[in-house]
Amino acid sequence: MSEDKDVHCTVIISNSDNELIKRSMKESKRSKTAEAELRLADHINRYSSIEKVGKATKRNE
């Protein structure tokens, strides 16, 4: 039996992606960390794999 535990993960993003995250966080009134966490979780749950930006395979539901 495994327990759900939060895991700390550090990533490096491009300056242009950082600007997009900053714009989104201001619109959503979330912190940068909260915005990135939500977007990552959304993507992982919707897509099973990714070849490159804009080309991902949706998860089977």
Side-chain angles (χ1 to χ4, degrees):
M1 175 169 43
S2 68
E3 297 178 32
D4 283 343
K5 294 183 180 179
D6 290 343
V7 176
H8 182 87
C9 177
T10 301
V11 298
I12 299 170
I13 61 173
S14 68
N15 189 52
S16 59
D17 287 343
N18 185 51
E19 291 303 317
L20 291 172
I21 288 284
K22 285 174 20 181
R23 195 177 319 158
S24 295
M25 64 178 264
K26 287 177 185 172
E27 291 174 6
S28 67
K29 297 188 179 12
R30 287 187 277 267
S31 68
K32 186 189 282 188
T33 299
E35 188 69 26
E37 287 174 354
L38 182 60
R39 286 171 172 274
L40 179 59
D42 178 66
H43 183 86
I44 291 170
N45 283 282
R46 289 200 288 156
Y47 300 98
S48 62
S49 65
I50 183 166
E51 184 177 322
K52 62 182 181 178
V53 174
K55 184 163 174 126
T57 303
K58 288 195 177 219
R59 275 196 192 282
N60 296 329
E61 294 187 34

